[in-house]
């Protein structure tokens, strides 16, 4: 077992938007930061539909080459019928490129990035990394888990595997570009929804269901794609699903931090339980985690858990409590009756006034 350094102030596990954002801010204040990323290259095989609200530019830089297409808002379809159009501008990103850009910015600020290394164990301040078949130990005063929905650090904090949906997605060629993100609900897709997010000539076409219904996901996505061909939204089904993954849907994890460990982004359950949107929240929670660590470095570790938890709760607590309540009701009352299903989705999807007025 090799020791590569004893002296990191912060070890960040995961170079997604949460990890790279946090690492950049931490390194900018002069802290010694290591980012450990299991992928060989940051941004490889991103598992994402890439849609973000325009408001993300308040928190993170977006260059024009990071944006595949600008969208005017969200159109919602229930049982195949158009049910709502909401103006809420956003972008479909080239996430792979953007994730690389965020990591490069962290490195430019002074962070040390190791790719192709997987954090496999944490014991106090020591993290064991698996790197090319060899184990290496690194130590950090703080360990920040930005390691996604199956987070090692979240488990270390005592959190159970969170509630998740599972998604599959493929990129298909559009008949013509769409100006709105399209979201579809159908009684066959328990606990989730389907989407078409246009990125110029192609679109990310995906479907997510509650993990208890994983078995039929591939077949459901194929059926959905066929309806899009029939409706002349996409040209043809070419190839099969190319990406997918778990999307946290249980809200914030119960324990966000102790005196040395913190979690941010999907690892912290910062993904919106109803929409599955987690990119902007990863950036914001990464910033909040960095702020909490910087304060703890200056003022002592006693208040770290309290101050970080308060900051995350202030940002997401109420919003996510409402979303968890709507999702639980929806899943409990799930029905194959079309009229009842429409009413149920109207009460439990963010595009409808009924969602907010219960
Ligand atoms: C199919 C799909 C579609 C989605 N679509 C959207 C969307 O349109 N809009 C939206 O806002 N959100 C979407 N999301 C959610 C969004 O992708 C996540 O919320 C976001 O990526 C969270 O960022 P993060 O930095 O917390 O985690 P991630 O982006 O998951 O990054 C975690 C990183 O940690 C690394 N890692 C994990 N474990 C270890 C380990 N032990 N050691 C070292 N490295 C490790 C991973 O390789 C990864 O690079 C989607 C998710 C899925 C699965």
């Amino acid at each position: 077992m090799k020791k590569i350094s004893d002296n990191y102030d912060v070890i960040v596990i995961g170079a997604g938007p949460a990890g790279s954002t946090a690492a950049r801010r931490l390194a900018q204040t002069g802290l010694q930061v290591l980012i450990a990323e299991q992928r060989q290259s940051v941004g490889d095989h991103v598992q994402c539909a890439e849609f973000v609200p325009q408001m993300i530019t308040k928190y993170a830089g977006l260059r024009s080459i990071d944006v595949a297409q600008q969208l005017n808002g969200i159109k919602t379809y229930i049982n195949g019928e158009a049910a709502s159009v909401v103006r809420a501008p956003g972008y479909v990103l080239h996430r792979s490129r953007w994730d690389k850009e965020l990591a490069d910015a962290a490195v430019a600020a002074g962070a040390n990035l190791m790719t192709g290394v997987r954090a496999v164990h944490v014991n106090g301040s020591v993290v064991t990394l698996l790197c090319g078949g060899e184990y290496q130990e690194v130590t950090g005063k703080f360990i920040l888990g930005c390691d996604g929905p199956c987070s090692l650090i979240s488990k270390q904090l005592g959190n159970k595997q969170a509630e998740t949906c599972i998604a599959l997605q493929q990129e298909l060629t559009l008949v013509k570009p769409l100006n709105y993100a399209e979201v579809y609900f159908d009684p066959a897709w328990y606990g989730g929804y389907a989407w078409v997010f246009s990125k110029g000539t192609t679109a990310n076409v995906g479907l997510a269901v509650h993990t208890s219904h994983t078995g039929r996901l591939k077949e459901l996505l194929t059926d959905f794609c066929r309806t899009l061909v029939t409706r002349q939204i996409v040209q043809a089904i070419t190839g099969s699903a190319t990406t997918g993954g778990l999307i946290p849907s249980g809200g914030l994890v119960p324990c966000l931090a102790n005196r040395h460990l913190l979690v941010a982004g999907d690892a912290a359950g910062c993904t919106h339980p109803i929409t599955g949107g987690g990119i902007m929240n990863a950036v914001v929670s990464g910033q909040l985690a960095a702020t909490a660590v910087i304060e703890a470095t200056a003022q002592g570790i006693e208040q770290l858990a309290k101050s970080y938890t308060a900051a995350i709760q202030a940002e997401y607590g109420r919003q996510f409590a409402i979303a968890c309540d709507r999702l639980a009701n929806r899943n409990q009352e799930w029905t194959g009756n079309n009229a009842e299903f429409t009413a149920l989705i109207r009460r439990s999807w963010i595009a409808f006034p009924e969602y907010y007025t219960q």
Side-chain angles (χ1 to χ4, degrees):
M1 178 122 29
K2 276 192 217 159
K3 230 171 212 192
I4 54 177
S5 171
D6 280 332
N7 294 319
Y8 286 104
D9 294 308
V10 192
I11 299 171
V12 178
I13 319 261
S20 294
T21 302
R24 179 186 186 185
R25 180 167 282 195
L26 290 161
Q28 277 170 339
T29 64
L31 294 172
Q32 296 298 310
V33 180
L34 171 69
I35 316 173
E37 167 56 50
Q38 66 185 1
R39 291 184 173 141
Q40 293 301 330
S41 174
V42 174
D44 274 1
H45 312 296
V46 288
Q47 298 160 285
C48 195
E50 308 177 292
F51 181 53
V52 289
Q54 196 178 54
M55 213 193 359
I56 197 169
T57 52
K58 250 178 82 180
Y59 306 101
L62 277 190
R63 304 163 305 168
S64 56
I65 55 164
D66 297 324
V67 176
Q69 192 184 330
Q70 201 161 348
L71 295 175
N72 298 331
I74 302 174
K75 281 187 185 170
T76 303
Y77 296 80
I78 310 176
N79 297 316
E81 304 285 329
S84 138
V85 181
V86 172
R87 240 195 112 71
Y91 305 106
V92 180
L93 301 176
H94 290 298
R95 245 203 84 177
S96 178
R97 189 180 293 164
W98 185 64
D99 277 22
K100 281 189 181 71
E101 166 74 11
L102 293 180
D104 286 349
V107 170
N112 182 7
L113 170 67
M114 288 177 77
T115 54
V117 295
R118 179 171 171 73
V120 290
H121 187 68
V122 179
N123 184 7
S125 58
V126 181
V127 180
T128 306
L129 302 173
L130 180 58
C131 172
E134 276 192 37
Y135 291 100
Q136 301 190 345
E137 283 185 348
V138 284
T139 60
K141 291 185 196 124
F142 299 95
I143 297 159
L144 173 54
C146 298
D147 45 348
C150 302
S151 167
L152 174 75
I153 305 305
S154 181
K155 282 186 199 107
Q156 192 73 19
L157 283 166
N159 297 310
K160 296 207 180 78
Q161 175 60 47
E163 186 88 351
T164 50
C165 282
I166 182 155
L168 261 188
Q169 178 179 279
Q170 63 189 105
E171 195 169 335
L172 294 177
T173 304
L174 289 162
V175 171
K176 58 176 191 221
L178 304 169
N179 294 323
Y180 281 79
E182 298 199 343
V183 168
Y184 294 77
F185 289 92
D186 187 286
W189 310 332
Y190 177 76
Y193 66 85
W195 60 85
V196 181
F197 295 165
S198 174
K199 39 195 305 189
T201 54
T202 63
N204 291 330
V205 176
L207 199 151
V209 291
H210 188 271
T211 16
S212 58
H213 283 54
T214 306
R216 290 193 57 223
L217 183 55
K218 203 171 163 196
E219 180 191 334
L220 294 174
L221 177 61
T222 306
D223 289 349
F224 174 60
C225 291
R226 280 201 196 106
T227 66
L228 295 176
V229 174
T230 308
R231 291 183 51 218
Q232 298 200 313
I233 292 174
V234 300
Q235 289 188 4
I237 307 173
T238 44
S240 55
T242 48
T243 189
L246 295 176
I247 307 178
S249 58
L252 298 174
V253 298
C255 182
L256 290 158
N258 62 22
R259 288 151 68 102
H260 307 281
L261 303 178
L262 307 85
V263 278
D266 276 11
C270 287
T271 322
H272 193 285
I274 288 271
T275 66
I279 302 171
M280 188 171 90
N281 297 353
V283 169
V284 171
S285 59
Q287 289 176 351
L288 293 174
T291 303
V293 168
I294 292 161
E295 281 171 11
T297 306
Q299 295 156 18
I301 58 175
E302 288 72 24
Q303 295 303 311
L304 175 67
K306 202 170 160 194
S307 68
Y308 181 53
T309 303
I312 291 284
Q313 283 290 348
E315 195 69 38
Y316 301 114
R318 195 178 131 65
Q319 192 196 135
F320 281 15
I322 293 171
C324 285
D325 173 72
R326 304 296 186 261
L327 187 62
N329 285 340
R330 182 206 287 174
N331 288 349
Q332 211 175 346
E333 293 171 26
W334 198 265
T335 170
N337 174 295
N338 277 2
E340 285 173 16
F341 185 72
T342 300
L344 184 61
I345 296 305
R346 294 186 69 95
R347 290 197 299 278
S348 60
W349 176 241
I350 49 140
F352 296 103
E354 294 93 314
Y355 177 89
Y356 304 93
T357 55
Q358 287 170 48

